[in-house]
Amino acid sequence: MKNKNYLYGLLLYGFIAGFTSPVSAEIRQCDKEFISSDDSHIVYMGRISRSIPHIVRFTYPGVSILANFEGTSLQMKAKPGSGAFMVEVDDELPYRINFAENDSIQTLAEGLPEGTHRVRIMYAIEGYELKPAFKGFYLDKGCRLAEAPVLSERRIEFIGNSITCGYGVESENPSDPFTYETENHFYTYAARTARALKAQHLVVARSGIGVYRNYGAPRSGSKDCMPAMYEQVLFTDSTELWDHTLYTPDVVCINLGTNDTSLDNYDMNLLTEGYRSFVKKLRAVYPHAKLVLLTGSMMNGKPLDDVKKAMDTVVGEMNSQGDREIYRFDMSPQTGSLGIGASYHPSMRQHQKMASELTAFLKKLMKW
């Protein structure tokens, strides 16, 4: 049977965060041990910026914070307005927390049994507007972080758009507009696939982005499409570039094209060249990784056929030039039988189907 105090603590965190000011919350931490975000016992997965001392910033969904900690409780400190995270403590079910404009501290767990526990926190949404920042943990007085978690040696990188971000996945109404409340990367095909394969995963994704043309952009393309933004640590900052030696994936999955072909206003030659130049860029960055060009699951008809044709052309070219580590895979288009999320994005069940399909493909490809 679950510890009643622990479960009560998990339910209470929202009440505490919602009715406590940042100032009073800070005052009450005098009987706690503060662990800064730059502590060596905290492990990160995903693109993060450490350019500001004692603060870890990020904008892409899926960035994860992992630690082992002593004591009976855990609190998290972040910049007010950082947005939503998914939290897993020990073997309990994951749950969602939110740092609203007046929240600087959130209680993640209370009433835990004495001993060492583990926590895994994933940023659930897109942060390019919110500019989230993690500052550290509060532990029970006299407690500390235990040995740092060891991450899996398997590494996947996912490059994508709103589908990979998790736009609308927690909605069941296709007429719903975008809201952060229904976006959740934790439930996407990408995150589910990584968990199923017991792999790390790094995400570079943003809603509306394309390989050559963003949603609603001119037929000639967009200056801020994925290839142009790919090197940035933070989507909103062109001055800080990602060090690719920090994370070398075994396989890179690229799921773009939906926005490029949006509103039936695209140029087939530019679309193909967009894939061609981006694949060559990725190959230069990751000379030994397997590259997989994906479709799924919002396209159908001519746009889907054209995206497949563009990708098949590029894969064929690269194969003929001696690069045999570039592949294609198509996840099932949505039909509505599994429900439809906000703005006609994949539902949670559709993401689960996509994950099952991609997991089986990658398991065989990678021999995992």
Side-chain angles (χ1 to χ4, degrees):
M1 183 174 180
K2 308 292 186 187
N3 183 299
K4 291 182 179 179
N5 291 332
Y6 173 35
L7 295 177
Y8 178 72
L10 296 182
L11 294 173
L12 188 62
Y13 79 87
F15 177 86
I16 294 172
F19 295 93
T20 305
S21 71
V23 174
S24 61
E26 294 282 5
I27 292 174
R28 286 206 314 276
Q29 305 316 307
C30 60
D31 61 343
K32 300 283 188 178
E33 295 285 351
F34 179 67
I35 308 296
S36 175
S37 61
D38 56 6
D39 189 282
S40 61
H41 296 87
I42 301 176
V43 174
Y44 296 92
M45 184 179 71
R47 290 191 180 186
I48 62 170
S49 171
R50 299 178 184 266
S51 61
I52 300 176
H54 312 304
I55 293 177
V56 168
R57 297 181 297 148
F58 40 89
T59 54
Y60 293 113
V63 168
S64 296
I65 306 163
L66 303 94
N68 297 319
F69 65 98
E70 299 175 348
T72 64
S73 70
L74 180 68
Q75 293 176 312
M76 174 180 173
K77 183 177 182 181
K79 189 196 84 172
S82 285
F85 298 80
M86 291 293 289
V87 180
E88 298 171 275
V89 177
D90 293 334
D91 295 322
E92 300 297 326
L93 292 175
Y95 59 93
R96 181 172 176 140
I97 65 169
N98 185 62
F99 283 85
E101 288 299 326
N102 294 321
D103 299 329
S104 61
I105 298 172
Q106 288 277 18
T107 298
L108 305 187
E110 289 183 331
L112 296 170
E114 293 283 355
T116 301
H117 304 276
R118 61 183 180 275
V119 65
R120 182 185 180 114
I121 304 162
M122 178 185 288
Y123 194 56
I125 61 176
E126 301 171 69
Y128 63 93
E129 292 180 324
L130 303 179
K131 298 179 175 62
F134 170 60
K135 299 183 178 180
F137 291 120
Y138 284 102
L139 308 180
D140 292 345
K141 196 70 175 178
C143 290
R144 61 181 182 177
L145 293 181
E147 186 175 349
V150 177
L151 299 180
S152 170
E153 293 184 358
R154 299 175 178 179
R155 295 183 174 188
I156 308 173
E157 179 171 316
F158 289 96
I159 302 171
N161 50 36
S162 56
I163 299 171
T164 303
C165 291
Y167 182 127
V169 69
E170 292 204 61
S171 168
E172 297 181 352
N173 186 349
S175 298
D176 282 349
F178 173 83
T179 66
Y180 288 121
E181 286 74 19
T182 62
E183 183 173 53
N184 197 333
H185 176 76
F186 187 86
Y187 296 118
T188 63
Y189 77 94
R192 288 177 183 272
T193 296
R195 287 195 293 273
L197 294 172
K198 295 180 171 56
Q200 296 185 54
H201 83 294
L202 179 147
V203 179
V204 184
R206 201 209 82 172
S207 291
I209 205 162
V211 73
Y212 104 92
R213 173 181 173 267
N214 297 341
Y215 182 83
R219 186 183 184 90
S220 58
S222 305
K223 292 183 178 179
D224 59 344
C225 57
M226 178 57 77
M229 312 298 289
Y230 179 70
E231 296 297 335
Q232 295 178 192
V233 176
L234 306 173
F235 192 86
T236 51
D237 183 359
S238 61
T239 64
E240 187 176 359
L241 302 182
W242 176 244
D243 179 358
H244 292 285
T245 65
L246 296 175
Y247 185 92
T248 304
D250 302 299
V251 58
V252 181
C253 295
I254 305 101
N255 188 1
L256 297 167
T258 303
N259 295 303
D260 298 87
T261 55
S262 64
L263 308 178
D264 195 28
N265 184 33
Y266 59 95
D267 183 289
M268 197 54 197
N269 290 329
L270 292 177
L271 176 64
T272 304
E273 178 55 33
Y275 278 111
R276 182 182 292 117
S277 59
F278 192 40
V279 166
K280 288 182 177 179
K281 179 184 183 71
L282 291 173
R283 175 52 75 217
V285 172
Y286 302 126
H288 305 297
K290 298 181 188 298
L291 308 180
V292 182
L293 300 182
L294 303 174
T295 65
S297 63
M298 292 179 68
M299 290 183 291
N300 54 57
K302 187 176 185 299
L304 178 58
D305 291 341
D306 284 346
V307 168
K308 287 182 177 181
K309 181 179 179 181
M311 292 192 295
D312 288 342
T313 296
V314 172
V315 171
E317 291 173 354
M318 298 294 285
N319 287 168
S320 67
Q321 294 166 16
D323 190 337
R324 298 288 180 177
E325 297 295 351
I326 299 181
Y327 305 86
R328 283 271 293 105
F329 184 73
D330 301 313
M331 295 177 286
S332 296
Q334 61 190 18
T335 64
S337 63
L338 297 176
I340 299 178
S343 303
Y344 291 88
H345 281 71
S347 68
M348 195 174 295
R349 285 181 292 161
Q350 188 72 44
H351 271 285
Q352 190 166 16
K353 180 178 182 179
M354 294 161 66
S356 295
E357 294 170 344
L358 184 57
T359 296
F361 173 78
L362 292 180
K363 186 174 184 180
K364 182 178 181 180
L365 177 69
M366 304 305 298
K367 297 180 172 57
W368 285 348

